[in-house]
Amino acid sequence: DVEETDVVRALDGLRFKGLAMQAADGGRVPKYRHALAAKLFLEPPELAILGELLLRGPQTVGELRGRAERMHPFPSLEDVEAILQELQEREAPLVVKLARQPGRKEHRYMHLLAGEPQLPEEGQLPAPEAARMQVMAENERIAALEQEVATLREELAALRRELAEFRKQFE
């Protein structure tokens, strides 16, 4: 749901930074292409890794190898790790190795093209996943319903006592 004017503004911003250019003239609509490889002096394997990180966010070495395979074949995980190492060791690093998360057995890598990632502070737990949030919400709803049923039972018992006292007056 992006307006055409928003797209034009974004393209103008990318063109100003030298990251996009008009690909061809003379068509019904202008066509654009990225210039990331030329601007950052990237080789095809580096471009494939960065493209996957931009598209899908933080990933493990194995995930990157499998997903970037369409853009550039990687014979082994070590080849992917070597590319990631090169991208980390640049004068202006393009990739960062994230700390291993609790419950995960591998480190993930993230691009730095949007700046430094906002990492949780040490000791701070990561936000629960969507399924966990749904279960927690259902548990809260059930607890609230159980409390309401208990309250209604108490009120009903009190009404029964009052009704019994009222009946005794007429016996």
Side-chain angles (χ1 to χ4, degrees), residues 105-149:
K105 69 178 191 176
E106 295 182 47
H107 291 275
R108 297 189 179 291
Y109 291 84
M110 181 177 177
H111 71 84
L112 294 173
L113 296 173
E116 288 290 323
Q118 297 295 325
L119 302 174
E121 293 180 20
E122 220 171 291
Q124 180 182 359
L125 295 174
E129 62 274 5
R132 172 74 50 212
M133 296 293 287
Q134 185 176 358
V135 168
M136 289 169 53
E138 289 173 1
N139 289 345
E140 288 175 11
R141 188 177 66 81
I142 290 170
L145 288 172
E146 288 174 344
Q147 178 62 39
E148 186 176 356
V149 167

Side-chain angles (χ1 to χ4, degrees), residues 4 7 26-27 57 65 82 87 95 118 120 133 161:
E4 190 172 346
V7 173
R65 179 180 180 221
L87 291 170
V95 171
Q118 297 295 325
M133 296 293 287
R161 281 191 302 273

Side-chain angles (χ1 to χ4, degrees), residues 34-107:
H34 74 84
L36 189 65
K39 178 82 173 174
L40 298 176
F41 306 106
L42 296 172
E43 296 296 322
E46 297 168 326
L47 192 59
I49 296 294
L50 274 179
E52 281 301 319
L53 290 173
L54 282 165
L55 179 66
R56 298 178 191 258
Q59 299 175 66
T60 66
V61 174
E63 291 170 336
L64 285 168
R65 179 180 180 221
R67 293 173 177 160
E69 189 75 24
R70 294 183 194 119
M71 291 185 274
H72 181 81
F74 293 98
S76 69
L77 293 176
E78 290 76 26
D79 293 328
V80 176
E81 288 175 337
I83 297 297
L84 288 165
Q85 190 67 32
E86 289 174 20
L87 291 170
Q88 289 179 65
E89 292 174 353
R90 287 177 156 237
E91 187 176 319
L94 298 175
V95 171
V96 65
K97 183 178 184 178
L98 301 175
R100 192 173 61 81
Q101 297 172 333
R104 308 274 181 152
K105 69 178 191 176
E106 295 182 47
H107 291 275

